[in-house]
């Protein structure tokens, strides 16, 4: 009988990508993928540890899986189980197999092996970091128009608040040929848009270039290679480190017609003293120059960012500097996070932790500012003609509409009855109400 598998993903786009890739591997092997609630023989939870809430959700899902079917094989993968390597004992009763971040490509063989000796004790697979890039490959995703391609894993930056370098290990990049092969397969399957993602995308290639390697492989070379793939019409980038935006980088990508003018540059704080404590490697003025470079080479690009409020030691003045900086840049989207203490990081033991009520007040102020800026950016598009890649039909205000994103990643509803899915259409934005969230 066909084995039923349910997968549940927590956390970032990289995790979502990996869950999709695991699902695809399972389907290829003849497993039947079922919804979580239906009851499965195998549950796979791809966990996340980016905040304490993510930790809690990861634990909850593992418990829930065990409850759904006490005889199921419960597989815990991802960052939470990796970061909590020595502290998973409270979860012992609900997990059968732990798979570290570098072992997911072996999922099928691990499952087969486990089943073969199921009566034996619970098996914990080696979760040590390996140097090689995990070779998960994906030729289609759940969405039908946009595919997320993970090109890099790990991070060497050690921002003082972040557990990821410990949880996911050092930078490992996929070879350029491998990425091109995967994107070509996606294009053949009809995908028009590709999003290059990674844990620290800007580090792509640093592990591939030996001291005296003849050719240099970096993010720019990767973008150029993907740009040459027939059928792909849009390239979007995941989160970028500001320092990668040099004059040459901005100028080169601006000359590529498939490049989307939508850039996510993680800011985290607009105050230099806070940035220093965070171990971010730029100042607010360097960051600003990078935004200006993008604005020099792209016409009205959509710049998006993340900001942390209430980082240890953030005084009222420091927060004010951060707020004023966010105000000055005019982002299209600003994602606000209240600082969350991660055990094992330097920031967790810093003095002057900020009380929750203050974090909430600061967060609310920035959320409000972010919304005003978003509206300002959206209104700057009114009267312009944009290209929308249609994703799906949707009923909005009782009417059937076609919904998709512009190259700037602004979501637009079109008045069209025919199904335009996966087509790129030119539309003039006549009013702000055509933009939906
Ligand atoms: S750059 Fe900093 S925040 Fe981003 S993954 Fe690396 S250590 Fe974490």
């Amino acid at each position: 009988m066909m084995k039923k598998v349910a997968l549940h993903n927590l956390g970032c786009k990289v995790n979502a990508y990996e869950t999709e890739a695991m699902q695809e591997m399972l389907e290829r092997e003849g497993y039947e993928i079922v919804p979580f609630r239906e009851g499965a023989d195998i549950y796979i939870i791809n966990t996340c540890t980016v905040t304490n809430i993510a930790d809690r959700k990861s634990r909850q899902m593992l418990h829930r899986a065990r409850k759904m079917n006490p005889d199921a094989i419960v597989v815990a993968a991802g960052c939470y189980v990796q970061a909590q390597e020595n502290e998973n004992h409270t979860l012992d009763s609900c997990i059968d197999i732990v798979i570290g971040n570098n072992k997911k490509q072996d999922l099928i063989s691990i499952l087969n092996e486990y089943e073969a000796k199921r009566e034996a004790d619970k098996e914990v697979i080696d979760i040590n970091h390996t140097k090689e890039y995990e070779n998960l490959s994906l030729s289609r995703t759940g969405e039908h128009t946009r595919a997320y391609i993970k090109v890099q894993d790990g991070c060497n930056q050690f921002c003082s608040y972040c557990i990821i370098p410990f949880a996911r290990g050092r930078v490992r990049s996929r070879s350029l040929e491998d990425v091109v092969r995967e994107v070509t397969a996606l294009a053949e399957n009809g995908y028009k848009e590709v999003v290059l993602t990674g844990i620290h995308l800007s580090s792509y290639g640093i592990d591939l270039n030996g001291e005296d390697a003849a050719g240099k492989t970096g993010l720019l070379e990767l973008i150029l290679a993907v740009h040459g793939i027939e059928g792909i019409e849009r390239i979007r980038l995941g989160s970028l480190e500001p320092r990668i935006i040099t004059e040459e980088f901005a100028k080169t990508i601006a000359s590529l017609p498939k490049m989307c003018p939508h850039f996510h540059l993680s800011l985290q704080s607009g105050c230099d003293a806070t940035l220093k404590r965070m171990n971010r490697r730029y100042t607010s003025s360097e960051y600003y120059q990078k935004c200006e470079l993008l604005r020099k080479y792209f016409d009205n690009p959509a710049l998006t960012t993340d900001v942390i409020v209430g980082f240890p030691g953030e005084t009222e003045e420091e927060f004010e500097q951060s707020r004023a900086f966010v105000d000055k840049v005019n982002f299209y989207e600003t994602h606000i996070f209240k600082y969350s203490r991660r055990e094992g990081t330097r920031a967790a033991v810093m003095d002057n932790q900020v009380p929750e009520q203050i974090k909430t007040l600061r967060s609310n102020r920035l959320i409000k500012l972010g919304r005003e800026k978003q509206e300002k950016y959206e209104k700057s598009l009114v009267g312009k003609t944009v290209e929308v890649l249609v994703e799906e039909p949707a009923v909005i205000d009782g009417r059937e509409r076609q919904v998709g994103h512009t190259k700037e990643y602004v979501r637009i509803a079109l008045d069209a009855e025919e199904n335009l899915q996966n087509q790129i259409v030119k539309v003039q934005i006549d009013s702000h109400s055509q933009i939906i969230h």
Side-chain angles (χ1 to χ4, degrees):
M1 208 175 72
M2 220 190 243
K3 283 245 150 49
K4 292 182 177 175
V5 188
L7 297 101
H8 185 83
N9 184 65
L10 291 138
C12 62
K13 280 181 182 156
V14 171
N15 258 22
Y17 167 90
E18 290 176 349
T19 305
E20 293 268 8
M22 286 194 282
Q23 173 168 334
E24 196 171 295
M25 269 180 344
L26 289 158
E27 280 173 340
R28 267 201 308 265
E29 288 297 315
Y31 289 84
E32 184 191 351
I33 309 297
V34 295
F36 205 86
R37 289 170 185 282
E38 201 169 279
D41 305 305
I42 300 167
Y43 283 91
I44 298 175
I45 318 292
N46 205 7
T47 63
C48 170
T49 185
V50 83
T51 62
N52 289 331
I53 295 174
D55 279 1
R56 199 172 62 228
K57 282 195 184 148
S58 298
R59 287 193 298 273
Q60 274 170 358
M61 287 315 294
L62 288 161
H63 282 294
R64 202 169 294 165
R66 171 56 70 225
K67 240 173 137 180
M68 288 291 302
N69 175 3
D71 294 327
I73 299 176
V74 177
V75 181
C79 289
Y80 175 71
V81 285
Q82 181 121 12
Q84 308 279 315
E85 196 171 342
N86 302 316
E87 293 168 38
N88 277 328
H89 308 299
T90 52
L91 292 171
D92 275 0
S93 60
C94 42
I95 304 175
D96 295 300
I97 302 177
V98 174
I99 299 187
N101 277 328
N102 297 314
K103 293 284 179 192
K104 292 195 200 98
Q105 79 276 25
D106 300 331
L107 175 67
I108 304 294
S109 57
I110 291 170
L111 277 173
N112 290 341
E113 217 177 292
Y114 181 82
E115 284 181 274
K117 48 181 177 175
R118 194 165 184 186
E119 59 286 356
D121 276 356
K122 188 187 95 176
E123 186 177 8
V124 176
I125 308 301
D126 165 33
I127 64 173
N128 289 336
H129 296 135
T130 67
K131 279 231 154 84
E132 280 147 62
Y133 184 83
E134 182 181 10
N135 207 5
L136 272 180
S137 166
L138 182 68
S139 57
R140 62 166 181 75
T141 69
E143 283 183 62
H144 300 293
T145 50
R146 180 180 308 112
Y148 293 90
I149 312 297
K150 184 182 148 193
V151 300
Q152 169 284 333
D153 202 344
C155 180
N156 301 349
Q157 300 289 307
F158 289 93
C159 299
S160 62
Y161 51 85
C162 182
I163 195 77
I164 280 178
F166 305 101
R168 299 196 81 108
R170 303 297 177 273
V171 171
R172 298 171 306 281
S173 307
R174 251 171 106 174
S175 76
L176 204 135
E177 297 71 36
D178 202 25
V179 176
V180 167
R181 204 173 309 125
E182 182 177 353
V183 178
T184 307
L186 285 160
E188 281 163 6
N189 281 334
Y191 283 86
K192 293 198 168 118
E193 181 172 318
V194 63
V195 188
L196 304 178
T197 72
I199 290 289
H200 193 251
L201 184 62
S202 307
S203 291
Y204 175 79
I206 60 166
D207 54 323
L208 301 177
N209 302 307
E211 285 284 302
D212 40 34
K216 181 179 161 297
T217 306
L219 185 58
L220 191 54
E221 289 70 26
L222 181 73
I223 295 169
L224 289 167
V226 172
H227 197 268
I229 297 171
E230 206 182 315
I232 293 297
E233 301 194 26
R234 284 180 171 188
I235 301 171
R236 214 177 277 287
L237 302 176
S239 181
L240 293 176
E241 149 98 37
R243 282 179 310 168
I244 199 164
I245 317 287
T246 59
E247 187 99 31
E248 189 209 345
F249 185 90
K251 195 172 169 186
T252 311
I253 59 172
S255 70
L256 305 174
K258 299 178 182 177
M259 194 73 223
C260 290
H262 167 217
F263 301 99
H264 186 88
L265 296 186
S266 260
L267 172 66
Q268 309 305 8
S269 172
C271 160
D272 291 342
T274 314
L275 284 171
K276 204 155 187 200
R277 289 199 303 284
M278 288 177 164
N279 198 31
R280 302 290 289 180
R281 299 150 194 229
Y282 50 83
T283 62
S284 56
S285 68
E286 279 160 1
Y287 183 99
Y288 193 74
Q289 283 163 17
K290 306 302 186 184
C291 298
E292 293 291 280
L293 265 180
L294 290 169
R295 287 181 167 140
K296 175 174 161 190
Y297 287 104
F298 287 89
D299 176 27
N300 195 22
L303 303 183
T304 62
T305 202
D306 298 323
V307 179
I308 296 174
V309 292
F311 186 75
E314 187 186 63
T315 60
E316 217 29 70
E317 294 71 40
E318 289 191 359
F319 169 70
E320 185 45 42
Q321 282 174 29
S322 193
R323 193 206 61 76
F325 186 78
V326 170
D327 193 6
K328 176 171 142 185
V329 178
N330 288 312
F331 292 105
Y332 160 46
E333 274 181 340
T334 314
H335 305 278
I336 316 296
F337 297 90
K338 290 192 253 180
Y339 168 72
S340 154
R341 211 166 169 165
R342 306 295 305 127
E343 240 175 82
T345 61
R346 271 194 290 146
V349 291
M350 282 181 184
D351 293 338
N352 303 318
Q353 297 282 329
V354 176
E356 276 309 305
Q357 314 86 280
I358 295 184
K359 286 183 199 166
T360 303
L361 287 173
R362 292 179 184 171
S363 165
N364 290 345
R365 284 185 65 197
L366 279 194
I367 290 172
K368 186 165 172 283
L369 177 65
R371 287 206 186 113
E372 288 164 14
K373 297 293 179 183
Q374 177 165 15
E375 191 174 330
K376 183 174 168 186
Y377 182 77
E378 288 170 353
K379 286 188 168 159
S380 76
L381 298 176
V382 175
K384 297 207 168 134
T385 301
V386 290
E387 281 181 8
V388 178
L389 174 54
V390 178
E391 286 148 27
E392 56 191 358
V395 176
I396 298 167
D397 297 335
R399 269 189 304 147
E400 174 93 353
R401 316 278 282 275
Q402 301 288 319
V403 173
H405 284 86
T406 69
K407 287 180 108 178
E408 296 80 5
Y409 210 61
V410 173
R411 197 158 173 253
I412 302 274
L414 310 179
D415 279 320
E417 271 159 29
E418 74 270 41
N419 187 347
L420 299 172
Q421 195 176 30
N422 208 21
Q423 292 183 39
I424 294 180
V425 283
K426 283 201 169 157
V427 211
Q428 166 145 349
I429 305 183
D430 295 320
S431 105
H432 189 220
S433 61
Q434 271 168 269
I435 297 174
I436 53 169
H437 298 119

